[in-house]
C-alpha cells in the first residue's frame, strides 16, 4: 500500500516568493495535517483538515494557508516567504476526525525541504 | 498547551548496547506515538502507545498514563538505529494536533 506522498521533495525559493506544497494521504484516510520542522527541533503543528474543513490551526501567521480537496489530498501555501520559513514541511494522514474517532495513529510523508534564500 | 520533555537529549552507545529513552508529558493523552527520524528526515512510526506495553523485535515501549511518562527500549543496538527519536502526544480533546518533544539523538558507534 502506498504511504503518504509529498511533492516536491526539495524546493529553493527567494524571499518574497510564494510556494505551494502538495500532499496525498494514505488511501482511506480523510484527515491531513501539516507540520513545520526547523533544524534541530521537533515538528510544529500548522494545520489539520478533515473533509475539506479546517479543524485546527497552529501558531503560524496568515501567510500560511492550506486547503483539502474532495479526494482528500491537500496543499499548503506560504506567501511572502521569509528566510525563517526554511524548514522541512511534513504532511501526516490519519483515519481520525470521523464520527468522533480521535487520537488514531498518524502517518507521516517524507517531507518537502524548503530553502529560502 | 501540553508539554512534552524527552531525555536524554543525546546518547552515544557502542553497537550491541541497550538503551532507554524517556518521554514525560504534562497532561492526559489519548495518542502517544514514538517515531524514528532517519537522516533523510522521514518520520518512521515505531509505536502507537497511549497506554500499556508493546514490543516489536528489538524495540519495546511502555506508557504509564497515570504517571504521564513513556519509555522506549532499544536492545542490541545496531548502527541503523542511529537518528533522532521523537515522542509525540495528543490530549483527549480539541483537534488532532500532535505535540512533539525535542527528541533524543542516538548515535551508535560500530
Amino acid at each position: 500500500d502506498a504511504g503518504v506522498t509529498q511533492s516536491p521533495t526539495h524546493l529553493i525559493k527567494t524571499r518574497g516568493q510564494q510556494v505551494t506544497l502538495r500532499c496525498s494521504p494514505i488511501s482511506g484516510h480523510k484527515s491531513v495535517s501539516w507540520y513545520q520542522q526547523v533544524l534541530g527541533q521537533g515538528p510544529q503543528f500548522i494545520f489539520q483538515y478533515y473533509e475539506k474543513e479546517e479543524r485546527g490551526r497552529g501558531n503560524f501567521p496568515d501567510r500560511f494557508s492550506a486547503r483539502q480537496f474532495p479526494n482528500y489530498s491537500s496543499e499548503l501555501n506560504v506567501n511572502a516567504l521569509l528566510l525563517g520559513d526554511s524548514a522541512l514541511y511534513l504532511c501526516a494522514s490519519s483515519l481520525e476526525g470521523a464520527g468522533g474517532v480521535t487520537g488514531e495513529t498518524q502517518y507521516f510523508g517524507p517531507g518537502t525541504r524548503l530553502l529560502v534564500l | 498547551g501540553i508539554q512534552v520533555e524527552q531525555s536524554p537529549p543525546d546518547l552515544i552507545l557502542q553497537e550491541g548496547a541497550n538503551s532507554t529513552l524517556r518521554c514525560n508529558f504534562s497532561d492526559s493523552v489519548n495518542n502517544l506515538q514514538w517515531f524514528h527520524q532517519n537522516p533523510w528526515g522521514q518520520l518512521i512510526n515505531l509505536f502507537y502507545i497511549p497506554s500499556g506495553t508493546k514490543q516489536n523485535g528489538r524495540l519495546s515501549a511502555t506508557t504509564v498514563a497515570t504517571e504521564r511518562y513513556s519509555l522506549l527500549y532499544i536492545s542490541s543496538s545496531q548502527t541503523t538505529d542511529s537518528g533522532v527519536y521523537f515522542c509525540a502526544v495528543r490530549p483527549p480533546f480539541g483537534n488532532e494536533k500532535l505535540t512533539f518533544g525535542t527528541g533524543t539523538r542516538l548515535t551508535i558507534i560500530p
Side-chain angles (χ1 to χ4, degrees):
Chain A
D1 288 342
V4 178
T5 60
Q6 292 186 243
S7 64
T9 56
H10 295 80
L11 207 49
I12 300 174
K13 293 286 188 178
T14 56
R15 280 176 295 177
Q17 285 189 311
Q18 174 264 343
V19 68
T20 298
L21 312 180
R22 296 176 176 83
C23 170
S24 291
I26 291 172
S27 177
H29 286 191
K30 299 182 177 182
S31 177
V32 170
S33 298
W34 287 94
Y35 292 79
Q36 180 197 63
Q37 186 179 21
V38 298
L39 199 61
Q41 298 182 17
Q44 299 291 315
F45 174 78
I46 310 175
F47 287 109
Q48 186 225 345
Y49 274 78
Y50 175 75
E51 290 283 13
K52 297 182 291 181
E53 288 187 4
E54 182 182 305
R55 289 293 181 88
R57 184 185 182 111
N59 188 24
F60 281 81
D62 291 344
R63 299 185 295 107
F64 288 76
S65 63
R67 56 180 175 168
Q68 187 177 34
F69 299 98
N71 65 353
Y72 305 113
S73 67
S74 178
E75 287 182 352
L76 175 70
N77 295 284
V78 186
N79 294 322
L81 285 167
L82 303 174
L83 296 180
D85 295 330
S86 296
L88 178 66
Y89 288 85
L90 296 161
C91 173
S93 78
S94 67
L95 285 169
E96 58 203 353
V101 174
T102 62
E104 296 295 313
T105 303
Q106 294 199 30
Y107 298 89
F108 282 78
T112 294
R113 286 197 184 276
L114 173 64
L115 178 61
V116 183
L117 301 175
Chain B
I2 194 166
Q3 304 297 312
V4 183
E5 295 182 355
Q6 290 187 243
S7 60
D10 292 280
L11 192 56
I12 301 174
L13 297 172
Q14 206 74 31
E15 197 169 23
N18 301 328
S19 58
T20 300
L21 283 58
R22 187 177 179 101
C23 171
N24 292 331
F25 44 96
S26 61
D27 209 338
S28 301
V29 299
N30 76 345
N31 182 351
L32 188 149
Q33 292 183 239
W34 281 99
F35 297 92
H36 175 208
Q37 189 164 42
N38 65 23
W40 298 271
Q42 175 80 56
L43 279 172
I44 299 165
N45 278 26
L46 298 177
F47 294 102
Y48 169 82
I49 187 167
S51 63
T53 297
K54 291 185 177 180
Q55 180 157 6
N56 184 6
R58 296 182 296 105
L59 275 61
S60 63
T62 295
T63 297
V64 184
T66 54
E67 297 187 19
R68 298 179 183 167
Y69 73 89
S70 183
L71 301 174
L72 177 68
Y73 305 97
I74 305 173
S75 65
S76 304
S77 298
Q78 301 175 359
T79 56
T80 52
D81 295 331
S82 295
V84 182
Y85 289 79
F86 287 104
C87 164
V89 303
R90 178 198 177 272
F93 52 83
N95 60 50
E96 307 309 324
K97 166 187 173 182
L98 282 176
T99 299
F100 283 75
T102 51
T104 292
R105 180 173 296 278
L106 177 64
T107 303
I108 304 300
I109 300 171

